[in-house]
């Protein structure tokens, strides 16, 4: 490696991506290394560290905000439950504002809801499955959510004579705690604890996954957590002692050269 | 009826790190190699949208489709094994390049002690140190024998690193300078030095500077993009078969990769392999690829499965302790790590690379005196700066609820204020930890799945207690305001990611009675079958395996060439 390459400055926020690639030593002996990089180079673009126009304004339409799997009651139930798991606080928005229930709906409609990349052949021995051995039921996630949502509503009806989405936050939390503890019986093929753990992890995913999946609206989940999302390089930051706050960028920017 | 294809010199079952190395070395020598790979083709362009935590980390985009093939798991022989229905404890790679595409790139050499572990343990502590149910074995090769092969692997990949300062560890000179040091790594190193330990920057296959290897392959420097482990590298900065050995093999014109081809069996008659039986999953057709040499390079676990389903080698019997295929399955332990919470400081934890770490080996191998300890071996201790992503990074101090208001606010507050000092604990072989075929569950072709019988034994549980006190002590010295320490090592949790460092099952050694392979990784029972991969390890050490896997693959490549020239057993 030449001395010049060694001393190359790292990514300057205002420099173009082309300059960045040149400066960060991504060329070897003058030849740009191929692959993903090659296709980046063919498009002249401004750096990824500025904010791209992916966020909606109050009036902009989000065509993603529509249901692929849930019916209205199911959606309302999950929206309410997710909000208790990841509520709006002084720190920032909660599941509802982040559109987590839409995220969960969209995920359930696809391969995750159908467990399509998982081993689903029998025989099943749910009774022998301790938590250390994970999912051991013939039910896929769509079916588990259906059962879980029904049970959330029947618990709410039994205890408070209302739908889950209509009871108070404290009442919702109490029911969710009972689910987590496995105190509610679903149908024997799956426990309420397992349903709750699915709901909990899906809620966290919906808050923090790239907005391309329908949640993490306007990257507000990332902003709360000071996570910059998709960036090309941190070579200029990695050794820094102070915290470097960067406006997040989503994968959408990769498509908008 | 399977269709017979013209004979080739060498056929590979699996095109990952080991298959790639063997392909490059033998095609360079003029031999014809056919690589069969069950997954898809890969190229660097595939990684343009790779900074996607959901797709690659949560949903394991690059891993094996378990609906087609998985394994079954249990803690001990008295139980029924249940299928590994979704990825958890370890991740099985898939596609051209194998796990070598989405690994972290931490690239160590095992210690001289590891290769002669039985002899050295007896020498230093006496025979009684080794429990009766621990079939501890030497590897049939020494560290010094392997040095040239380690060097070859390190030069090919361009390992970036710093010499390990521990007086017991041999000096290594790496081809590229160490990766950049983060403030948290500096804190870790300083604290460890204060405690009298020997920290250094971990050797990494994610390049610290642009580099041209001896094969003439040039690659760019790592950008610390923070999406590395479980992700492919969009720069080619992470050494992987697709950007190192496979292009070299292709360039010769002697290499053919057939993707979407699943090897079901090695075919053999009279103790000699004739080729392999495989299915092209795109057409559904079955083929027989004949070859002079069959290389089973399908990753440690799949190597065992292919041999068992081929009825090649003597299956291990835990009752009698005889037989070798499936014997000495071992794993690792990550439950000794502690997490520190720092009120005063925010770290840039979103940045990092899969192999960026401060590490020390003072409690690894036999680098410390075990005379008064109730275990042998140990683990490395490291502070990694791998890039923390928001779905999977939700560290909160002990006692915080796991959901709701308090969880949300705390997990956000500490997201960039918590550091973990982890450990990769070695696992010693045990008579009762082994692999065989499952009697019930089948794969997409109706072939039996592998059955893994494994749990942590006393040696590991005692080691875990000892090491977690040290990881905690380091965080105290680093000035953490709060420290979350792990409890005792419980039973193996198959649902939580630990490591993809599965070892053993087709082990090497000097004695055909107690091992499956000689030190060229040639099968004792079938001279034209070579089985590279961590399946060859008679025990697992306290660090990542691929440096050693790679060195042994270079050795195997040399062995295959010798065999093709002279025939017969090489040892
Ligand atoms: C997330 C992750 C992180 C890791 N990090 C590190 C690290 O930091 N340091 C380290 O040392 N190691 C690490 N490893 C381990 C490392 O990746 C492996 O040790 C290494 O890749 C093993 O090489 P191999 O050739 O044996 O298997 P692989 O590289 O996995 O290749 C095996 C190939 O065989 C194919 N195959 C399997 N069965 C068949 C069949 N029946 N027919 C046809 N093809 C088949 C597979 O699809 C695969 O492509 C990591 C692994 C993972 C998953
Ligand atoms: S961290 Fe470095 S090696 Fe890893 S994917 Fe990013 S650029 Fe590649």
């Amino acid at each position: 490696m030449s001395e010049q390459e060694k001393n190359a400055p790292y990514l300057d926020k205002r420099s173009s991506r082309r300059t960045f690639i040149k400066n960060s030593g991504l060329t070897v002996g003058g030849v740009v290394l191929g692959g993903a990089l090659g296709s980046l180079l063919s498009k002249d673009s401004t750096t990824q560290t500025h904010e791209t126009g992916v966020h909606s304004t109050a009036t902009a339409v989000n065509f993603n905000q529509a249901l692929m799997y849930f019916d209205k009651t199911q959606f309302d139930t999950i929206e309410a439950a997710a909000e208790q798991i990841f509520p709006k606080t002084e720190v920032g928005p909660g599941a509802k504002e982040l559109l987590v229930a839409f995220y969960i709906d969209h995920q359930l409609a696809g391969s995750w809801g159908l467990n399509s990349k998982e081993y689903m052949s029998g025989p099943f021995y749910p009774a022998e499955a301790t938590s250390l051995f994970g999912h051991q039921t013939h039910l896929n996630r769509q079916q588990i959510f259906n059962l879980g949502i029904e049970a959330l509503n029947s618990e709410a009806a039994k205890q408070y004579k209302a739908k889950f989405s209509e009871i108070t936050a404290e009442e919702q939390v109490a029911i969710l705690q009972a689910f987590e503890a496995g105190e509610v019986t679903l149908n024997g093929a799956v426990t309420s604890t397992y349903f709750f753990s699915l709901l909990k992890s899906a809620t966290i995913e919906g808050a923090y996954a790239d907005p391309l999946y329908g949640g993490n609206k306007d990257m507000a989940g990332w902003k709360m957590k000071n996570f910059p999302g998709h960036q090309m390089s941190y070579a200029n930051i990695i050794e820094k002692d102070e915290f470097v706050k960067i406006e997040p960028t989503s994968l959408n920017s990769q498509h908008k050269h | 009826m399977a269709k017979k294809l013209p004979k080739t010199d060498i056929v590979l079952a699996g095109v990952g790190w080991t298959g790639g190395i063997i392909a490059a070395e033998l095609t360079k020598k003029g031999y014809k190699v056919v690589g069969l790979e069950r997954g898809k083709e890969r190229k660097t362009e595939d990684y343009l949208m790779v900074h996607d935590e959901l797709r690659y980390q949560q949903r394991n985009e690059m891993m094996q489709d378990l609906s087609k093939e998985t394994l079954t798991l249990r803690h001990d022989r008295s139980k029924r094994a249940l299928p590994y229905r979704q990825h958890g404890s370890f991740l099985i790679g898939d596609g051209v390049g194998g796990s070598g595409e989405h690994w972290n790139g931490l690239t160590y050499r095992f210690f001289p002690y590891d290769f002669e572990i039985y002899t050295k343990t007896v020498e230093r502590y006496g025979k009684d140190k080794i429990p009766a149910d621990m079939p501890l074995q030497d590897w049939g090769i020494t560290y010094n024998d392997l040095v040239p092969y380690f060097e070859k692997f390190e030069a090919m990949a361009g390992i970036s690193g710093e010499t390990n300062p521990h007086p017991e560890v041999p000096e290594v000179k790496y081809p590229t300078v160490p990766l950049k040091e983060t403030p948290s790594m500096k804190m870790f190193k300083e604290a460890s030095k204060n405690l009298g330990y020997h920290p250094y920057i971990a050797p990494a296959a994610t390049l610290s500077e642009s580099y041209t290897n001896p094969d003439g392959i040039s690659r760019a420097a790592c950008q610390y993009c923070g999406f590395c482990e479980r992700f492919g590298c969009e720069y080619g900065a992470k050494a992987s078969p697709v950007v190192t050995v496979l292009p070299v093999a292709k360039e010769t014109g002697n290499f053919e990769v057939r993707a979407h081809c699943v090897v079901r069996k090695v075919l053999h008659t009279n103790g000699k392999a004739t080729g392999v039986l495989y299915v092209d999953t795109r057409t559904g057709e079955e083929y027989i690829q004949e070859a002079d040499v069959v290389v089973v390079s399908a990753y440690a676990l799949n190597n065992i499965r292919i041999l068992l389903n081929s009825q090649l080698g003597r299956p291990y019997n835990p009752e009698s302790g005889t037989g070798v295929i499936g014997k000495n399955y071992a794993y690792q332990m990550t439950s000794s790590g502690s997490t520190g919470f720092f009120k005063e400081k925010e770290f840039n934890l979103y940045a990092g690379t899969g192999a960026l770490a401060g590490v020390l080996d003072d409690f690894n191998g036999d680098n410390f005196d075990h005379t008064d300890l109730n275990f042998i071996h140990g683990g490395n201790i490291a502070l990694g700066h791998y890039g923390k992503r928001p779905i999977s990074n939700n560290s909160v101090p002990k006692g915080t609820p796991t959901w709701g208001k308090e969880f949300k606010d705390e997990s956000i507050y500490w997201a960039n204020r918590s550091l973990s000092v982890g450990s990769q604990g070695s696992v010693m072989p045990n008579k009762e930890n082994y692999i065989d075929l499952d009697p019930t569950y089948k794969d997409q072709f109706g072939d039996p799945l592998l059955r893994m019988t494994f749990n942590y034994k006393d040696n590991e549980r005692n080691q875990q207690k000892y090491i977690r006190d040290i990881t905690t002590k380091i965080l105290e010295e680093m000035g953490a305001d709060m420290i979350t320490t792990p409890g005792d090592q419980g039973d193996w949790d198959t649902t939580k990611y630990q490591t993809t460092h599965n070892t053993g099952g087709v082990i090497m050694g000097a004695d055909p009675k107690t091992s499956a392979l000689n030190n060229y990784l040639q099968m004792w029972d079938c001279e034209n079958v070579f089985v590279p991969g961590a399946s060859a390890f008679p025990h697992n050490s306290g660090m990542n395996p691929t440096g050693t896997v790679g060195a042994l693959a270079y050795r195997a490549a040399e062995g295959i060439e010798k065999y093709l020239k002279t025939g017969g057993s090489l040892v």
Side-chain angles (χ1 to χ4, degrees), chain B residues 206 222-228 232-235 237-238 352-354:
Chain B
T206 59
C222 169
Q223 296 301 309
Y224 304 88
C225 77
F227 287 81
C228 202
C233 177
E234 72 270 37
Y235 299 97
K238 172 158 72 179
T353 166

Side-chain angles (χ1 to χ4, degrees), chain B residues 191-495:
Chain B
S192 317
K193 274 187 200 153
N194 293 345
L195 293 166
Y197 311 149
H198 300 81
Y200 63 106
I201 301 175
T206 59
L207 281 180
S208 60
E209 56 187 335
S210 43
Y211 174 70
T212 302
N213 80 6
D215 291 318
I217 296 274
S218 294
R219 289 163 39 230
C222 169
Q223 296 301 309
Y224 304 88
C225 77
F227 287 81
C228 202
E229 167 178 13
R230 304 193 194 194
F231 303 81
C233 177
E234 72 270 37
Y235 299 97
K238 172 158 72 179
S240 84
V242 167
V243 297
T244 57
V245 285
L246 294 176
V248 171
K250 281 190 186 146
E251 186 67 28
T252 64
N254 293 324
F255 185 45
E256 186 194 342
V257 179
R258 291 181 205 145
H260 305 284
C261 291
V262 184
V263 174
R264 287 181 59 191
K265 283 180 177 89
V266 177
L267 304 169
H268 54 100
T269 44
N270 306 323
K272 208 158 174 213
T274 53
V276 299
L277 173 75
Y278 75 91
V279 179
D280 179 336
T281 54
R282 292 222 157 155
T283 61
E285 280 170 303
E286 268 196 343
Y287 294 94
I288 291 170
Q289 176 63 59
E290 298 200 317
D292 286 330
V293 168
V294 173
V295 178
V296 183
S297 49
Y299 183 73
L301 295 170
N302 306 310
N303 290 352
I304 308 169
R305 179 155 188 264
I306 290 173
L307 294 182
L308 288 173
N309 274 331
S310 310
Q311 294 177 310
L312 200 54
R314 292 151 295 134
Y316 174 68
N317 177 346
E319 203 81 54
S320 59
T322 58
V324 287
I325 309 298
K327 179 184 157 168
N328 282 28
Y329 171 71
Y331 191 43
Q332 280 182 336
M333 207 176 20
T334 51
S335 54
S336 315
S338 304
T339 302
F341 298 86
F342 296 79
K343 280 199 195 112
E344 302 304 324
K345 200 154 167 48
E346 262 190 288
F347 303 90
N348 295 310
L349 297 178
Y350 51 78
T353 166
L356 185 59
V359 61
L360 53 93
D361 287 311
D362 296 80
F363 303 95
N364 201 359
D366 203 27
N367 297 341
F368 58 119
D369 185 12
H370 291 72
T371 310
D372 298 322
L373 301 176
N374 47 7
F375 65 93
I376 61 163
H377 218 300
N380 71 11
I381 290 177
L383 181 135
H385 205 110
Y386 306 143
K388 281 196 175 173
R389 295 168 291 270
I391 300 173
S392 44
N393 167 30
N394 286 292
S395 292
V396 286
K398 217 174 213 158
T400 311
T402 59
W403 54 280
K405 181 181 182 319
E406 202 184 332
F407 167 76
K408 179 195 162 190
D409 291 354
E410 293 282 307
S411 62
I412 288 169
Y413 179 77
W414 297 110
N416 292 305
R417 291 182 174 90
S418 59
L419 301 176
S420 295
V421 174
S423 163
Q424 265 184 102
S426 60
V427 168
M428 292 302 105
N430 187 281
K431 248 184 105 214
E432 295 291 331
N433 285 340
Y434 70 101
I435 285 177
D436 63 355
L437 291 176
D438 190 272
T440 310
Y441 294 96
K442 307 269 191 281
D443 74 359
Q444 57 183 334
F445 306 117
D447 293 332
L449 296 183
L450 218 51
R451 174 169 68 178
M452 179 184 287
T453 305
F454 176 78
N455 207 348
Y456 295 111
K457 307 293 185 193
D458 285 346
N459 193 75
E460 287 76 59
R461 291 175 198 254
N462 296 335
Q463 181 203 117
Q464 189 262 353
K465 274 196 192 117
Y466 184 82
I467 304 252
R468 72 168 183 220
D469 291 344
I470 294 157
T471 59
T472 309
K473 205 155 85 178
I474 295 171
L475 279 164
E476 275 164 15
E477 183 69 25
M478 283 169 67
D481 298 299
M482 276 179 284
I483 298 172
T484 295
T485 49
D488 289 351
Q489 172 66 55
D491 288 333
W492 175 44
D493 185 343
T494 74
T495 68

Side-chain angles (χ1 to χ4, degrees), chain B residues 86-142:
Chain B
Q86 55 199 68
H87 292 285
S89 182
F90 48 85
L91 300 167
I92 312 167
D94 192 74
V96 170
S99 313
E101 287 301 299
H102 50 71
W103 68 320
N104 288 54
L106 292 156
T107 310
Y108 298 98
R109 297 179 179 186
F110 280 15
F111 300 130
Y113 159 77
D114 281 306
F115 300 98
E116 298 168 272
I117 192 167
Y118 176 81
T119 305
K120 290 192 187 248
T121 303
V122 172
E123 252 171 41
R124 188 163 175 189
Y125 307 107
K127 265 201 159 100
D128 291 347
K129 190 76 182 171
I130 305 171
D133 59 358
M134 188 191 287
L136 204 64
Q137 293 180 208
D138 290 349
W139 291 35
I141 197 161
T142 65

Side-chain angles (χ1 to χ4, degrees), chain A residues 172-206:
Chain A
Q172 287 171 348
V173 167
I175 290 180
L176 289 170
Q177 280 167 344
F179 268 67
E180 185 182 26
E183 288 159 7
V184 180
T185 308
L186 301 188
N187 74 344
V190 64
T191 62
S192 65
T193 308
Y194 188 72
F195 164 66
F196 181 81
S197 72
L198 275 184
L199 176 62
K200 188 175 85 178
S201 57
T203 301
I204 304 289
E205 286 170 3

